[in-house]
């Protein structure tokens, strides 16, 4: 199962790294996840989503309920 943020649906990015001969090698760049507790459960959300929640002073449990709808 891929790692996806439940709030803003961020998953990995495909990145092409190029050698001197311009041959492409595909890499996967994973998002920066932060583990936070909601009640008794631990939830992995992206650091960008966590920063937005913190700056807007929102409650994480209500944001997760609204994101699942």
């Amino acid at each position: 199962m891929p790692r996806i943020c439940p709030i803003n649906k961020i998953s990995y990015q495909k990145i092409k790294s190029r050698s001197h001969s311009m041959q492409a090698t595909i890499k996967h760049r994973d998002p920066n996840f932060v583990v936070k507790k909601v009640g008794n459960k631990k939830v992995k959300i992206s650091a960008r989503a966590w920063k937005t929640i913190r700056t807007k002073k929102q409650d994480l449990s209500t944001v997760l309920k609204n994101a699942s709808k």
Side-chain angles (χ1 to χ4, degrees):
M1 183 171 152
R3 291 171 277 208
I4 298 175
C5 177
I7 297 171
N8 52 7
K9 310 299 187 233
I10 291 177
S11 67
Y12 67 89
Q13 293 178 335
K14 285 186 181 178
I15 296 173
K16 292 179 182 175
S17 120
R18 300 271 180 180
S19 66
H20 182 66
S21 64
M22 295 300 289
Q23 183 176 2
T25 304
I26 297 175
K27 294 181 179 181
H28 288 92
R29 179 171 284 172
D30 291 328
N32 185 14
F33 280 113
V34 180
V35 178
K36 294 294 173 184
K37 286 181 84 173
V38 178
N40 293 332
K41 289 197 267 183
K42 290 184 179 179
V43 179
K44 281 187 178 180
I45 60 172
S46 64
R48 178 176 293 217
W50 174 242
K51 184 178 178 183
T52 304
I53 291 168
R54 236 182 0 171
T55 55
K56 292 185 177 181
K57 296 185 173 116
Q58 298 172 343
D59 186 31
L60 182 59
S61 59
T62 57
V63 171
L64 285 171
K65 286 179 189 175
N66 293 337
S68 65
K69 290 182 181 178

